């Protein structure tokens, strides 16, 4: 009997929280044929030894790390196996994070990070949209590396457009974001041809990730406060238990860069409409931009509204 099966299986979808979990959850979906939450048991949901070997092969290709073939016996959930990848997660520190592969029948949805720089909040939305939709998150530079964050909306938009074009050279393009992500997506739309949809999403419609809600603007934390903040995030299940301690300092640095960027932003000319889901995005859009509003509750209506527009 496989000893991994003796572990409790947490049924129900629980979304990934960081690039390592997002990448691994995607591999499991590719192997198993259906989405798996981060605490569901690989063997308990139908995986076998051949499937496990395919996951190990994918890790070798992506990270150059040879894990033992029985690794899923000791680490049978996405959450636990991701702990083995974070020390080798250089390939996951770039801006583009593939959240969901889709079936290729629709243009992919590119969602730009909010003020705290993370794309984890978009995982639940991708899951709710359905497996047929390809979804990419664009995370902030400097969140998972020592690179300096970009500090203007145009600089972020220009870099992210290059990232998007690298995987999709021509349109149609589907873009969106919440908070500063809405402003960046707007600037990206102004730089791209054939934008089918530009979405400004109310952050409260996404699964809660409170790293951006600390009262940093009123009283930025001292260096001595950072360990306490990390423990608080871990206790609220907002970040993995083994996340590096310097993650809080990087998060604060990215958050400050986002605040500076939005404060100084002067929107470029964009002639298309912007679809607003939930509350207005809180960014100063030009009066000439047509806004189409969609009232959405926090019970899946956002995914329904997006699915209807995307076709």
């Amino acid at each position: 009997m496989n000893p991994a099966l003796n572990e409790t299986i947490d049924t129900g979808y629980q979304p990934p929280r960081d690039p390592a979990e997002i990448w691994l959850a995607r591999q499991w979906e590719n192997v198993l044929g259906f989405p798996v939450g981060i605490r569901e048991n690989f063997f308990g949901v139908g995986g076998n030894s051949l499937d496990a070997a395919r996951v190990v092969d994918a890790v070798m290709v992506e990270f150059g790390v040879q894990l033992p073939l029985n690794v899923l016996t000791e680490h049978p959930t996405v959450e636990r196996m991701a702990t083995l990848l974070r020390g080798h997660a250089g390939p996951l520190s770039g801006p583009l994070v593939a959240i969901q592969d889709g079936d290729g029948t629709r243009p992919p949805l590119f969602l730009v990070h909010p003020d705290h720089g993370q794309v984890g909040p978009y995982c639940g939305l991708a899951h709710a949209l359905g497996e047929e939709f390809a979804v990419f998150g664009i995370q902030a530079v400097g969140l998972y590396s020592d690179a300096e964050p970009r500090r203007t909306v145009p600089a972020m938009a220009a870099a992210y457009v290059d990232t998007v074009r690298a995987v999709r050279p021509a349109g149609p393009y589907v873009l969106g974001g919440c908070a500063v992500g809405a402003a960046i997506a707007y600037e990206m739309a102004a730089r791209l041809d054939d934008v089918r949809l530009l979405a400004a999403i109310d952050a409260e419609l996404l699964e809660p990730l409170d790293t951006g809600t600390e009262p940093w603007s009123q009283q930025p934390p001292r260096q001595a406060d950072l360990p306490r903040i990390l423990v608080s995030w871990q206790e609220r299940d907002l970040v993995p238990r083994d996340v590096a301690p310097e993650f809080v300092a990087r998060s604060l640095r990215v958050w400050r860069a986002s605040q500076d960027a939005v404060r100084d932003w002067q929107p470029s000319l964009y002639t298309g409409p912007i679809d607003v889901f939930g509350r207005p995005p809180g960014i100063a859009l030009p009066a000439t931009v047509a806004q189409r509003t969609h009232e959405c509750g926090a019970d899946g209506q956002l995914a329904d509204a997006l699915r209807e527009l995307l076709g």
Side-chain angles (χ1 to χ4, degrees):
M1 181 176 180
N2 191 330
L5 288 173
N6 294 330
E7 295 203 8
T8 300
I9 301 172
D10 191 336
T11 57
Y13 180 78
Q14 291 177 291
R17 298 161 294 181
D18 75 341
E21 291 183 348
I22 292 171
W23 183 86
L24 194 54
R26 203 171 108 253
Q27 306 312 309
W28 285 28
E29 180 175 353
N30 291 340
V31 168
L32 297 172
F34 51 85
V36 178
I38 63 171
R39 296 192 178 109
E40 292 181 85
N41 187 299
F42 184 83
F43 298 103
V45 296
N48 56 42
S49 58
L50 181 59
D51 296 329
R54 292 172 62 191
V55 173
V56 170
D57 287 345
V59 170
M60 181 63 189
V61 170
E62 181 71 17
F63 300 96
V65 176
Q66 183 62 66
L67 297 175
L69 289 177
N70 67 344
V71 64
L72 279 160
T73 301
E74 298 297 327
H75 301 80
T77 66
V78 166
E79 180 180 45
R80 289 186 56 182
M81 190 171 179
T83 63
L84 306 177
L85 303 183
R86 290 193 179 92
H88 308 278
L92 305 181
S93 63
L96 197 65
V97 178
I99 295 174
Q100 190 164 277
D101 291 333
D103 61 9
T105 61
R106 299 167 179 81
L109 174 59
F110 294 93
L111 296 172
V112 186
H113 62 83
D115 295 13
H116 52 62
Q118 301 178 63
V119 298
Y122 296 128
C123 291
L125 173 58
H127 179 70
L129 280 172
E131 300 170 46
E132 65 270 26
F133 290 90
V135 180
F136 289 88
I138 303 177
Q139 68 188 5
V141 173
L143 189 60
Y144 295 101
S145 73
D146 293 328
E148 188 66 23
R150 293 181 174 90
R151 297 188 176 276
T152 71
V153 171
M156 295 179 193
Y160 298 166
V161 162
D162 290 342
T163 297
V164 167
R165 282 182 172 148
V167 297
R168 188 171 179 84
Y173 294 103
V174 180
L175 308 171
C178 64
V180 71
I184 300 168
Y186 174 95
E187 285 294 325
M188 292 173 65
R191 291 162 167 76
L192 289 166
D193 297 323
D194 194 10
V195 175
R196 177 175 295 181
L197 176 69
L198 172 61
I201 301 170
D202 181 357
E204 291 188 2
L205 299 177
L206 305 170
E207 63 249 297
L209 185 61
D210 297 338
T211 55
T213 64
E214 303 286 348
W216 287 349
S217 57
Q218 289 77 30
Q219 187 176 359
R222 301 166 300 170
Q223 187 69 28
D225 295 330
L226 300 188
R228 174 188 56 79
I229 293 172
L230 177 58
V231 170
S232 172
W233 291 353
Q234 291 168 332
E235 288 175 346
R236 287 180 281 164
D237 206 19
L238 303 177
V239 297
R241 289 284 176 176
D242 66 320
V243 71
E246 60 267 21
F247 178 74
V248 181
R250 288 174 176 168
S251 297
L252 175 58
R253 185 177 59 170
V254 165
W255 182 86
R256 284 171 169 161
S258 296
Q259 302 305 298
D260 293 342
V262 170
R263 184 185 60 245
D264 299 334
W265 179 47
Q266 297 295 322
S268 299
L269 176 64
Y270 175 64
T271 57
I274 182 168
D275 286 87
V276 178
F277 298 86
R279 296 182 305 173
I283 55 176
L285 295 172
T288 55
V289 176
Q291 298 188 36
R292 301 183 298 203
T293 59
H294 307 267
E295 293 187 6
C296 300
D299 55 356
Q301 293 178 353
L302 171 60
D304 293 340
L306 275 171
R307 195 182 300 111
E308 182 176 348
L309 289 173
L310 295 172

